Amino acid sequence: MAGSISMEAAGLTLPFLILTFLTIAAASSTNQIQILNAERRIDLSSHIVKVFLTLKVENAGITPASEIFLAFPPAQADHLALVKAQAAIGKKKKKSYVHLDANPTELPDAPNGTKSFSISLLNPLSSGETATLEVLYILTHSLEPFPAEISQSESQLVYFRDSALILSPYHVKQQTTFLKTPSTKVESFTRVEPTKLAGRELKYGPYEDHPPYSFSPVIVHLENNSPFAVVEELLREVEISHWGNLQITEHYKLVHAGARHKGVFSRVEYQSRPSFSGTSSFKHLLASLPPRVHSVYYRDDIGNISSSHLRSDYRKSELEIEPRYPLFGGWKATFVIGYGLPLEDFLFESPDGKRYLNFSFGCPLAETVVDKLTIKVVLPEGSKDPSAVVPFPVKQRLETKYSYLDVVGRTVLVLENKNVVPEHITPFQVYYTFKPIFMLAEPLMLASVFFLFFMACLAYLHIDLSIRKSESGAHFGLLVELLVFLQ
């Protein structure tokens, strides 16, 4: 009994010791790193906020550091779409960049609601060494329209909230923040001296010697007439046919997420004064499609929409589409885009004998945020062991789809992700095994159907189904009538 209790205590103590060790290691890592200089550039020219962060870090401790931590305030945690990091190697003309892994983590001393990321260095940073890191992170739904409703002739104004100081788990010796605005029209902004507004650039800093997790909230009220194109839900179905075709079908639920339109819409004013009326609306979208695309169609619930233009060459294809009406703030549109591609450009065979599809993730529409993206890769009937390789975390699950002439159904690999931005457009691979004998299933089924139909026709032609009296039956009838007469 005592032995079992001691074993249970050991089982409970081991995870606790591991967690404690990781906590102490993270705390010691944050204590020995300091940021010599930090420069942050925030691009507000679109409704997708892009932040470029350059950090020059130094290991002021005595033990090597293998990772650098980033921190994001609670207001940005739910709107964070992507974090990329790279290290600068070399100087000036010989400078090159190496990709670094950035993964979510938790820091024990971080304020409540703070979201942290860990950047893994290629080589541990020894005591006294410095390194330069460049980070790109993207925020969505971070511009708040104010006023929330505007008329057709008004410009769109938005609020942007952030901090003049960079939220960091390290001591920052010097830092500067630059905000790039879409136009020179800035209604108001919070001043944290030194602050300077010049043209389309708002500068905060430089600030010196700030302790970890310093925060100074600022609000900028500015004009932003870029279309807030948001796809609430996008379903992309990629159907593989080993007979040489790759069929793509995309279902869009599009909304203008900017300031809601109020009042009556005047098409006359919209067309006669395009530079003043509906400046924040959009009436066309541009979709980047792969080269050698064919059989392109664009339709909605009513039917086919002819107001689209396709430009294609050997490098890329661009489809410019126009909804049936211009989209103002709060207006929605649903439509479907479909096209075919040659299978040989996207399906390959791996050295281990598996087949794999190499296709692009994300949304083809330019400057668009996708709240929920679902990609369904429909494999040929008979495919087994499907697996996906995606360069970022996504949800995966399997389904079964039945189509024409299917017997056991087709395996469907479903990939799901939220808060998708154009930077997510990267290649991904779907691996599966397939025996070529299964390609004969549908032709044999069709041949069997035609054979049975032919045999049924032959049987029908050789069987006499007409209703008539035979000669023996007639003679028997005359004999019965004669006997009745004699009686």
Side-chain angles (χ1 to χ4, degrees), residues 17 35 59 134 158 163 167-168 171-172 224 278 282 300 302 304 334 342 349 353 376 389 407 428 445 469 477:
L17 291 177
I35 299 178
N59 187 356
E134 295 197 2
V158 297
S163 171
L167 187 68
S168 174
H171 178 85
V172 184
N224 189 329
F282 58 92
D300 58 8
I302 300 176
N304 185 59
T334 59
E349 187 171 353
K376 294 187 176 183
V389 179
V407 178
F428 74 98
M445 186 181 299
K469 294 182 179 180

Side-chain angles (χ1 to χ4, degrees), residues 17-31:
L17 291 177
I18 294 175
L19 180 61
T20 304
F21 174 76
L22 294 176
T23 302
I24 295 175
S28 61
S29 176
T30 56
N31 291 333

Side-chain angles (χ1 to χ4, degrees), residues 284-287 298 307-311 318-322:
H284 67 270
L285 298 166
L286 185 65
Y298 165 50
S307 56
S308 60
H309 308 281
L310 177 65
R311 299 183 295 270
E318 292 183 342
L319 177 65
E320 185 179 12
I321 61 177
E322 291 187 20

Side-chain angles (χ1 to χ4, degrees), residues 11 22 34 57 73 137 208 285 401:
L22 294 176
Q34 64 178 356
V57 298
Y137 62 93
E208 297 182 353
L285 298 166
K401 177 183 178 181

Side-chain angles (χ1 to χ4, degrees), residues 226-482:
S226 63
F228 283 30
V230 175
V231 180
E232 295 180 323
E233 188 174 351
L234 170 57
L235 172 60
R236 302 184 71 192
E237 187 174 87
V238 182
E239 186 172 350
I240 301 174
S241 172
H242 282 172
W243 295 101
N245 188 55
L246 190 68
Q247 183 62 38
I248 316 298
T249 307
E250 301 172 349
H251 301 263
Y252 290 87
K253 292 183 179 179
L254 181 69
V255 63
H256 191 312
R260 294 188 302 273
H261 176 73
K262 69 176 181 179
V264 180
F265 168 63
S266 172
R267 184 171 290 274
V268 175
E269 180 183 352
Y270 184 78
Q271 293 180 346
S272 60
R273 304 176 60 193
S275 58
F276 299 98
S277 177
T279 54
S280 62
S281 66
F282 58 92
K283 59 181 179 180
H284 67 270
L285 298 166
L286 185 65
S288 298
L289 305 181
R292 301 179 64 187
V293 66
H294 63 85
S295 305
V296 181
Y297 63 87
Y298 165 50
R299 65 170 184 258
D300 58 8
D301 294 337
I302 300 176
N304 185 59
I305 304 176
S306 59
S307 56
S308 60
H309 308 281
L310 177 65
R311 299 183 295 270
S312 181
D313 56 29
Y314 68 96
R315 293 177 299 177
K316 63 178 180 178
S317 301
E318 292 183 342
L319 177 65
E320 185 179 12
I321 61 177
E322 291 187 20
R324 295 186 183 274
Y325 47 86
L327 291 183
F328 286 81
W331 293 14
K332 299 183 179 183
T334 59
F335 55 90
V336 178
I337 297 177
Y339 51 93
L341 295 168
L343 187 64
E344 60 185 11
D345 294 348
F346 300 93
L347 191 66
F348 308 94
E349 187 171 353
S350 61
D352 59 355
K354 287 188 174 182
R355 307 190 184 202
Y356 68 93
L357 173 74
N358 187 50
F359 204 66
S360 62
F361 197 88
C363 175
L365 298 182
E367 289 299 316
T368 304
V369 176
V370 182
D371 291 339
K372 181 182 179 182
L373 172 63
T374 303
I375 298 180
K376 294 187 176 183
V377 181
V378 184
L379 304 177
E381 191 175 24
S383 302
K384 295 182 179 180
D385 304 324
S387 62
V389 179
V390 189
F392 36 81
V394 296
K395 293 182 180 179
Q396 301 185 25
R397 56 186 172 88
L398 295 178
E399 291 181 354
T400 302
K401 177 183 178 181
Y402 291 90
S403 185
Y404 303 105
L405 302 178
D406 288 343
V407 178
V408 297
R410 304 186 184 187
T411 302
V412 181
L413 181 63
V414 183
L415 307 176
E416 294 181 345
N417 199 8
K418 295 182 178 180
N419 215 13
V420 178
V421 292
E423 282 69 18
H424 280 112
I425 302 179
T426 54
F428 74 98
Q429 296 77 37
V430 175
Y431 291 83
Y432 63 96
T433 58
F434 181 81
K435 295 181 179 180
I437 192 65
F438 283 102
M439 294 185 64
L440 300 176
E442 292 183 359
L444 288 176
M445 186 181 299
L446 286 174
S448 301
V449 170
F450 280 111
F451 177 75
L452 292 177
F453 177 74
F454 178 72
M455 295 301 295
C457 291
L458 286 178
Y460 175 78
L461 293 175
H462 287 77
I463 295 177
D464 188 4
L465 300 177
S466 61
I467 302 176
R468 63 180 182 179
K469 294 182 179 180
S470 62
E471 295 183 357
S472 59
H475 295 161
F476 179 76
L478 291 174
L479 181 61
V480 171
E481 291 180 356
L482 181 59

Side-chain angles (χ1 to χ4, degrees), residues 52-355:
F52 302 89
L53 179 63
T54 303
L55 302 174
K56 186 177 181 180
V57 298
E58 180 188 28
N59 187 356
I62 58 176
T63 59
S66 59
E67 55 186 356
I68 302 297
F69 297 103
L70 301 176
F72 299 93
Q76 295 180 353
D78 295 335
H79 304 291
L80 194 62
L82 185 69
V83 177
K84 287 185 176 181
Q86 57 185 7
I89 300 177
K91 296 182 179 180
K92 295 183 179 180
K93 294 183 178 180
K94 297 183 178 180
K95 183 182 292 186
S96 60
Y97 296 94
V98 181
H99 173 76
L100 302 176
D101 292 332
N103 299 303
T105 187
E106 293 185 3
L107 296 178
D109 56 343
N112 292 334
T114 302
K115 189 171 185 178
S116 304
F117 276 77
S118 170
I119 300 178
S120 302
L121 301 176
L122 291 177
N123 300 309
L125 196 64
S126 302
S127 177
E129 287 187 343
T130 61
T132 301
L133 306 180
E134 295 197 2
V135 180
L136 166 65
Y137 62 93
I138 299 177
L139 303 172
T140 61
H141 302 288
S142 294
L143 299 180
E144 178 189 353
F146 187 83
E149 295 182 350
I150 58 175
S151 63
Q152 184 174 335
S153 58
E154 290 180 298
S155 296
Q156 181 173 254
L157 302 177
V158 297
Y159 275 143
F160 176 71
R161 294 177 171 85
D162 205 332
S163 171
L165 303 176
I166 299 173
L167 187 68
S168 174
Y170 308 114
H171 178 85
V172 184
K173 284 194 170 183
Q174 186 176 16
Q175 59 180 303
T176 310
T177 296
F178 299 90
L179 279 79
K180 179 184 177 183
T181 60
S183 66
T184 58
K185 186 176 180 180
V186 178
E187 296 290 319
S188 63
F189 58 91
T190 305
R191 290 187 175 271
V192 181
E193 297 299 338
T195 304
K196 181 182 179 181
L197 175 63
R200 295 174 55 190
E201 185 177 83
L202 177 61
K203 179 181 178 182
Y204 283 98
Y207 306 111
E208 297 182 353
D209 290 325
H210 280 83
Y213 297 110
S214 296
F215 193 82
S216 179
V218 296
I219 300 178
V220 183
H221 193 204
L222 66 152
E223 181 186 56
N224 189 329
N225 285 318
S226 63
F228 283 30
V230 175
V231 180
E232 295 180 323
E233 188 174 351
L234 170 57
L235 172 60
R236 302 184 71 192
E237 187 174 87
V238 182
E239 186 172 350
I240 301 174
S241 172
H242 282 172
W243 295 101
N245 188 55
L246 190 68
Q247 183 62 38
I248 316 298
T249 307
E250 301 172 349
H251 301 263
Y252 290 87
K253 292 183 179 179
L254 181 69
V255 63
H256 191 312
R260 294 188 302 273
H261 176 73
K262 69 176 181 179
V264 180
F265 168 63
S266 172
R267 184 171 290 274
V268 175
E269 180 183 352
Y270 184 78
Q271 293 180 346
S272 60
R273 304 176 60 193
S275 58
F276 299 98
S277 177
T279 54
S280 62
S281 66
F282 58 92
K283 59 181 179 180
H284 67 270
L285 298 166
L286 185 65
S288 298
L289 305 181
R292 301 179 64 187
V293 66
H294 63 85
S295 305
V296 181
Y297 63 87
Y298 165 50
R299 65 170 184 258
D300 58 8
D301 294 337
I302 300 176
N304 185 59
I305 304 176
S306 59
S307 56
S308 60
H309 308 281
L310 177 65
R311 299 183 295 270
S312 181
D313 56 29
Y314 68 96
R315 293 177 299 177
K316 63 178 180 178
S317 301
E318 292 183 342
L319 177 65
E320 185 179 12
I321 61 177
E322 291 187 20
R324 295 186 183 274
Y325 47 86
L327 291 183
F328 286 81
W331 293 14
K332 299 183 179 183
T334 59
F335 55 90
V336 178
I337 297 177
Y339 51 93
L341 295 168
L343 187 64
E344 60 185 11
D345 294 348
F346 300 93
L347 191 66
F348 308 94
E349 187 171 353
S350 61
D352 59 355
K354 287 188 174 182
R355 307 190 184 202

